[in-house]
């Protein structure tokens, strides 16, 4: 039985279970997964938290564990997309939606700059269900079955999916008034990145959002998810941010990317348990 059909079977089962039960089960699975994470990866997460937030080792341990455990409930929310899509308002409230609607009213599209914080998969569905024509830019999964499943479920809740390699398609759809969603908080290769300040540290950052927005002269909006104790998500939208167009293209892109990076940092400082601390954010800088 392929991974696609396994995911489908688990999804059908999850859709039959009560929401709160799935949430508790997800936390239990997340806690189990935390125990199985290699010690070196846990040390990396703790060290990054201590360096970025000036946290004690005990506090860093708590934040790292919470950051990992949350993936359990997040997974169940994805599995329950067939249920959630019909009542998105019971799961997500959007603050700042009118800003985005006004920004795309001219039909020229926009860029959403997001991060791996909260349930970013649900964020795309919330925008799509709210009538925002969203293009989700995805990374191809190593497992073809998992890749087929997640993209099928992303499309189920209204998103159009393209891979990171589909740059031409992104520009074409942007010209047609679509909104391009880019998650821009992970380490990229040094050839494609630019070094900026993130948590007071030189950090390799991806300039794609600013580069695309400058070329097409469209606004950028930041969008971050926060999940409260009751399981309700708040999608926080802010902007617009326009990339200044001077004779120095690189400086224009650099300046705006730093502004977006600072917005991500501010959100992570506010909700540190919801960011993906297990990711080796400074790997390329360390290797260089």
């Amino acid at each position: 039985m392929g991974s696609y059909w396994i995911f489908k079977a688990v999804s059908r089962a999850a859709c039959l279970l009560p929401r709160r039960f799935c949430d508790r089960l997800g936390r239990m699975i997340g806690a189990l997964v935390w125990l199985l994470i290699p010690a070196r990866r846990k040390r990396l997460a703790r060290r990054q938290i201590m360096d970025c937030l000036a946290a004690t080792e005990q506090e860093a341990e708590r934040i790292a564990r919470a950051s990992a455990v949350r993936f359990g409930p997040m997974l169940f929310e994805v599995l329950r997309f067939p249920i959630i899509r019909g009542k998105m308002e019971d799961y997500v409230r959007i603050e700042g939606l009118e800003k985005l609607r006004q920004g795309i009213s001219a039909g020229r599209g926009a860029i959403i700059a997001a991060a791996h914080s909260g349930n970013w998969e649900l964020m795309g569905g919330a925008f799509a269900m709210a009538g925002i024509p969203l293009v989700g830019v995805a990374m191809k999964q190593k497992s073809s079955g998992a890749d087929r499943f997640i993209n099928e479920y992303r499309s189920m809740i209204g998103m159009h999916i393209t891979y990171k390699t589909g740059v031409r398609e992104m520009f074409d759809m942007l010209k047609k008034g679509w909104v391009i969603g880019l998650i821009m908080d992970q380490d990229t290769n040094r050839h494609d990145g630019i070094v900026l300040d993130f948590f007071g540290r030189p950090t390799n950052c991806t300039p794609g959002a600013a580069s695309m927005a400058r070329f097409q002269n469209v606004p950028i909006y930041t969008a971050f998810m926060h999940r409260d104790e009751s399981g309700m998500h708040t999608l926080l939208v802010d902007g617009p941010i326009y990339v200044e167009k001077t004779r120095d293209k690189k400086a224009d892109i650099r300046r705006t990317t730093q502004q977006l990076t600072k917005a991500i940092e501010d959100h992570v400082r506010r909700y540190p348990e919801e960011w993906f601390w297990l990711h080796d954010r400074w790997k390329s800088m360390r290797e260089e």
Side-chain angles (χ1 to χ4, degrees):
M1 189 176 185
S3 58
Y4 170 80
W5 295 109
I6 292 174
F7 278 118
K8 289 287 284 188
V10 175
S11 173
R12 291 191 190 100
C15 288
L16 296 174
L17 297 172
R19 175 180 178 179
R20 292 192 182 281
F21 178 83
C22 287
D23 187 58
R24 288 195 297 270
L25 182 58
R27 289 183 182 279
M28 290 173 59
I29 293 173
L32 177 61
V33 170
W34 170 251
L35 296 176
L36 300 176
I37 292 173
R40 62 178 181 79
R41 183 62 64 171
K42 292 179 180 178
R43 286 196 298 271
L44 170 72
R46 287 196 300 269
R47 173 50 57 191
Q48 291 186 150
I49 294 167
M50 292 167 69
D51 289 344
C52 292
L53 304 178
T56 64
E57 188 167 359
Q58 184 178 9
E59 178 68 1
E61 173 75 16
R62 183 193 67 80
I63 292 172
R65 184 182 185 279
S67 172
V69 169
R70 72 186 175 89
F71 278 93
M74 178 178 167
L75 171 63
F76 271 93
E77 285 174 339
V78 172
L79 293 171
R80 285 169 53 81
F81 272 4
I83 298 293
I84 293 176
R85 65 175 176 172
K87 40 187 171 183
M88 186 65 73
E89 67 280 359
D90 292 340
Y91 288 81
V92 184
R93 67 172 68 91
I94 306 178
E95 294 183 4
L97 180 61
E98 288 308 314
K99 297 178 183 179
L100 180 57
R101 282 177 171 162
Q102 184 176 355
I104 65 175
S105 61
R108 291 190 298 112
I111 305 292
I112 287 177
H116 288 90
S117 187
N119 191 338
W120 62 87
E121 293 290 351
L122 192 56
M123 174 173 60
F127 275 131
M129 292 290 101
I132 302 300
L134 183 72
V135 177
V137 181
M139 181 180 293
K140 194 175 184 66
Q141 303 296 311
K142 292 180 180 179
S143 165
S144 60
D147 191 69
R148 177 187 171 191
F149 174 82
I150 188 61
N151 286 332
E152 179 181 302
Y153 272 47
R154 287 164 175 163
S155 299
M156 177 194 297
I157 54 174
M159 287 188 282
H160 175 86
I161 300 300
T162 189
Y163 291 115
K164 288 186 175 182
T165 52
V167 177
R168 180 173 296 180
E169 182 183 11
M170 291 183 222
F171 277 108
D172 287 344
M173 298 197 76
L174 195 58
K175 292 174 184 177
K176 295 175 182 176
W178 285 72
V179 177
I180 310 297
L182 298 174
I183 295 181
M184 51 173 295
D185 62 338
Q186 289 195 305
D187 199 2
T188 184
N189 65 71
R190 286 291 294 112
H191 179 267
D192 295 332
I194 54 176
V195 179
L196 300 171
D197 178 87
F198 186 50
F199 284 100
R201 306 170 65 183
T203 306
N204 190 35
C205 301
T206 177
S211 179
M212 189 175 294
R214 185 184 186 278
F215 186 79
Q216 290 296 122
N217 192 30
V218 297
I220 303 172
Y221 293 83
T222 59
F224 307 116
M225 289 282 271
H226 165 61
R227 188 181 194 269
D228 64 28
E229 289 299 320
S230 71
M232 187 69 181
H233 300 264
T234 302
L235 174 46
L236 304 160
V237 182
D238 202 8
I241 297 168
Y242 283 92
V243 185
E244 187 179 3
K245 216 165 186 178
T246 70
R247 293 181 179 179
D248 192 337
K249 175 183 175 181
K250 289 184 178 179
D252 296 343
I253 292 171
R254 183 181 186 86
R255 187 165 49 250
T256 304
T257 305
Q258 180 65 77
Q259 185 177 354
L260 298 173
T261 301
K262 182 60 168 62
I264 294 172
E265 178 182 327
D266 290 344
H267 181 79
V268 173
R269 286 186 182 277
R270 188 176 180 187
Y271 303 112
E273 297 88 352
E274 296 187 278
W275 196 51
F276 189 23
W277 290 103
L278 288 168
H279 170 63
D280 191 352
R281 185 63 184 87
W282 286 272
K283 180 180 180 181
S284 65
M285 297 300 297
R286 187 172 62 250
E287 290 176 346
E288 186 177 59

